[in-house]
Amino acid sequence: MALLSLGKYKYVLRPSKALLQRPLKPLTDTLNSFGAHVNLTNDGIFIQGPLNFANLPKEISIETMSSTQFASALAMALHMRNIKVTSKDQHGALGYFTITENLISEFIAGKTNFTVPADFSSASYPLALAALNGQATLSNISCLDSFQPDSKFVTLLKDMGAEISLNKDGLTIRKSSLRPFNVDISPFPDIALTLVFLASFINGMSSILN
C-alpha cells in the first residue's frame, strides 16, 4: 500500500477477507493525509497516488500500537526521499521496527547483499512441540538473531528447563520437564500464543503479562 501510493496510476489490491479485517486504518489515514487516495472496501484496497511530496515533512510519525508493520512500510517506501519515519507510541514491540531501521541504514551505507534469517516467530511452533513431545533440529538456525525480538523464545525455553543446543548444525531442542514461567510479553507479542500453548501443558501457574 505504501509503495503503490508513490505511483501515479490507480492500483487495486485484492487481499483475503481476513487481511481486510486487520487494523489498517493508521496506515491508510497517514497515506490519505499526504495526498494519496486509499479506500478499503469489501472488494479490495483501491489506491490512487502519488503522495504530495512537496508538502511532506522530513519526519513522519505514525501510530504503531496496532502494528509496527505500518511504520516499516512507510519507512521502506519513503527512505529514498530522505523522509524519516518514527513511531508515535513508545512500547515494547518497537523491536520489530528496529529490524527495518537497521536494514535501511545498511542499504543507505551501500550494502546490497542481504541474508534473510530464519523467522523466530514461526520457529517457536516446532520448538514448543519438541519441548513437550520429542526432539527437533532446525538446521537453518545456527545463531540467535539479536534484531528479532522473537528470538527471546529460545532463552525463555532454557529458563523453563528445556534442553537446547545451538551450533553450526542448527538449533536442537529435546523433550524436557518444563517449569512454570513469568514473562512480560510486550517486547515480543508475536510469541504470546505459543507461550499460552506451552503453559497449558506445564504443571503449575505461569504468568504472561502485558
Side-chain angles (χ1 to χ4, degrees):
M1 291 168 61
L3 179 63
L4 294 178
S5 293
L6 306 183
K8 63 182 179 180
Y9 299 110
K10 293 181 179 179
Y11 307 93
V12 182
L13 297 175
R14 301 195 186 278
S16 66
K17 290 183 179 180
L19 185 61
L20 283 172
Q21 291 172 357
R22 295 199 65 178
L24 301 173
K25 198 170 184 295
L27 179 57
T28 59
D29 285 354
T30 300
L31 294 173
N32 287 331
S33 69
F34 291 122
H37 299 281
V38 182
N39 295 311
L40 305 180
T41 74
N42 291 331
D43 296 323
I45 303 171
F46 295 81
I47 303 167
Q48 170 68 68
L51 298 176
N52 186 351
F53 290 104
N55 293 328
L56 280 180
K58 288 299 181 183
E59 183 170 312
I60 294 174
S61 186
I62 184 172
E63 184 264 299
T64 57
M65 286 301 293
S66 51
S67 177
T68 58
Q69 292 175 357
F70 304 145
S72 289
L74 280 172
M76 288 189 288
L78 297 177
H79 83 274
M80 295 187 77
R81 296 274 183 160
N82 295 318
I83 296 173
K84 182 176 177 59
V85 176
T86 60
S87 168
K88 287 182 180 178
D89 324 289
Q90 296 301 316
H91 55 92
L94 282 176
Y96 297 115
F97 183 48
T98 303
I99 300 174
T100 303
E101 293 180 313
N102 177 67
L103 287 172
I104 290 174
S105 65
E106 289 186 336
F107 183 76
I108 291 173
K111 185 174 180 179
T112 55
N113 293 312
F114 295 87
T115 299
V116 180
D119 177 62
F120 277 87
S121 178
S122 299
S124 71
Y125 308 141
L127 290 174
L129 284 171
L132 296 170
N133 296 300
Q135 178 175 321
T137 296
L138 280 64
S139 58
N140 61 334
I141 297 180
S142 58
C143 64
L144 298 185
D145 182 4
S146 61
F147 279 105
Q148 287 192 58
D150 298 335
S151 66
K152 178 69 174 178
F153 186 74
V154 177
T155 304
L156 293 174
L157 284 172
K158 285 185 176 181
D159 292 343
M160 294 176 210
E163 184 182 345
I164 295 176
S165 61
L166 181 63
N167 54 48
K168 62 181 180 59
D169 297 321
L171 174 64
T172 298
I173 183 168
R174 296 174 180 85
K175 182 179 179 180
S176 311
S177 179
L178 301 180
R179 299 184 292 270
F181 58 88
N182 298 282
V183 61
D184 178 355
I185 201 66
S186 58
F188 28 82
D190 284 1
I191 59 173
L193 295 182
T194 315
L195 288 171
V196 170
F197 169 80
L198 272 177
S200 68
F201 289 93
I202 298 175
N203 291 327
M205 178 70 72
S206 294
S207 300
I208 301 173
L209 308 175
N210 300 316

